[in-house]
Amino acid sequence: MTSRPAATLMQATRRAALGGLAALLARPALAQGAWPNRPIRLIVPFAAGTTTDILGRILAEAIGRQVGQTIVVDNRAGAGGNVGALAVARAPADGYTLLLGTNGTHGINASLFTDQGFDPVKDFTPIAPFVTTAAVLGITPSLGVSSVAELVALAKRRPLTFASAGNGTTGHLSQALLNLRAGIDTQHVPYRNAGQGVTDLVAGRVDGMFYHPLGLKPQLDVGALKALAVTSEKRVSILPDLPTMAEAGLQDFVVEGRWHLFGPAGLPPEIVARLNKTTNDLLADPAALANLRAQGVEPLGGTPEALGEMTRAEIAKWRPVVAAANIRPD
């Protein structure tokens, strides 16, 4: 039997080793290329029937249609959204568990809670910015003021009370920011839910409230409440005649509710790209956009990188506000 030269044996061994490595490297790519081959779970970190839930179902339907799989909406409410977000942070990064996060779960809560149970930056893959909504500064007409400047002047003459849906909510943060930017000291009155606050505002038992446009519009339409401004960077389509807080004279005053799509840390780039395109395609569809605006929200859209920057900016923005107002979660 003729033996092979040593060099030939070494070359054969090297080729076999490289072939084995190539096969190993190809396996994740093949598995990844098959995504999705089973239903995907979209965790909504708030209860069924909430705005977040409604938006989650709109997004889930669009993703399911695009990728050809069922998207199961899984409501995991608790701790201001932290319960649901934590479930996603701990999930495998395989594209089968996603999160409709908010600027609460990925921004405000980092200052409100001593420990969220996760790092909102390191433990998630940003996929796509989704939609945003402003808060409306609504007051009881009995105050007799017609502008933010007049409201601030009144607050410097006598105490004013502001309702909210609870400590640490967007309404509470807006009231705290109003105090900081205007140099006034209005009193926060937290309610168990926003509906109770709106009822007392209409009855004149509290003076003002920051709340989302759809929540106040019925009362605004019949004159039971008066709106002075919106807290968004731009005017909102549902109330186009209302100025922004900046237009009303208070600069650096932007408070928005935002919803975004996240996955666990380490989500494969190909899956991120596909989900990002699906989200942006939804926001570019006129019928879908009309449906979203009917919910009182405006489109965002953009890149995963933009969402990462947005998350870091929200965390930094709210730390001084939460600290100055000594806000604690309910």
Side-chain angles (χ1 to χ4, degrees), residues 243-264:
T244 65
M245 292 294 283
E247 290 173 332
L250 285 183
Q251 302 304 313
D252 194 20
F253 197 118
V254 176
V255 182
E256 295 179 325
R258 292 176 180 170
W259 292 265
H260 311 299
L261 186 61
F262 293 92

Side-chain angles (χ1 to χ4, degrees), residues 39-178:
I40 298 168
R41 184 171 52 139
L42 176 65
I43 291 185
V44 170
F46 293 94
T50 60
T51 299
T52 305
D53 177 61
I54 293 169
L55 295 174
R57 293 176 189 279
I58 292 172
L59 183 57
E61 196 276 333
I63 293 174
R65 187 172 60 249
Q66 287 282 350
V67 303
Q69 273 293 345
T70 300
I71 313 296
V72 179
V73 174
D74 184 355
N75 296 92
R76 299 279 191 96
N82 288 344
V83 171
L86 179 59
V88 176
R90 291 177 172 174
D94 56 9
Y96 291 98
T97 304
L98 305 173
L99 172 72
L100 183 62
T102 69
N103 61 326
T105 60
H106 287 69
I108 298 165
N109 286 1
S111 298
L112 287 178
F113 292 84
T114 304
D115 180 12
Q116 288 183 265
F118 56 84
D119 186 309
V121 174
K122 295 178 181 178
D123 292 339
F124 295 87
T125 298
I127 298 173
F130 185 33
V131 293
T132 182
T133 187
V136 174
L137 170 51
I139 61 168
T140 176
S142 62
L143 290 182
V145 301
S146 299
S147 68
V148 173
E150 291 179 7
L151 180 71
V152 170
L154 179 62
K156 290 180 177 180
R157 296 196 302 270
R158 72 171 181 84
L160 295 180
T161 55
F162 273 74
S164 86
N167 291 326
T169 59
T170 301
H172 185 192
L173 292 166
S174 299
Q175 177 261 344
L177 192 60
L178 176 64

Side-chain angles (χ1 to χ4, degrees), residues 49-55 103 131-139 162-166 169-175 193-198 201 208-221 225-232 236-239 242 255-259 292-298:
T50 60
T51 299
T52 305
D53 177 61
I54 293 169
L55 295 174
N103 61 326
V131 293
T132 182
T133 187
V136 174
L137 170 51
I139 61 168
F162 273 74
S164 86
T169 59
T170 301
H172 185 192
L173 292 166
S174 299
Q175 177 261 344
N193 61 67
Q196 293 174 345
V198 173
L201 180 59
M209 183 176 186
F210 288 92
Y211 194 40
H212 68 80
L214 282 184
L216 293 185
K217 194 172 187 304
Q219 289 76 23
L220 297 174
D221 288 345
L225 294 177
K226 187 170 188 175
L228 301 182
V230 291
T231 62
S232 49
V236 299
S237 58
I238 196 171
L239 295 166
L242 275 184
V255 182
E256 295 179 325
R258 292 176 180 170
W259 292 265
L292 288 167
R293 282 182 166 145
Q295 306 303 322
V297 299
E298 298 290 332

Side-chain angles (χ1 to χ4, degrees), residues 30-37 40 63 67 94-96 98 271 274-275:
L30 289 172
Q32 183 174 301
W35 181 90
N37 55 22
I40 298 168
I63 293 174
V67 303
D94 56 9
Y96 291 98
L98 305 173
I271 294 177
R274 192 169 177 187
L275 289 168

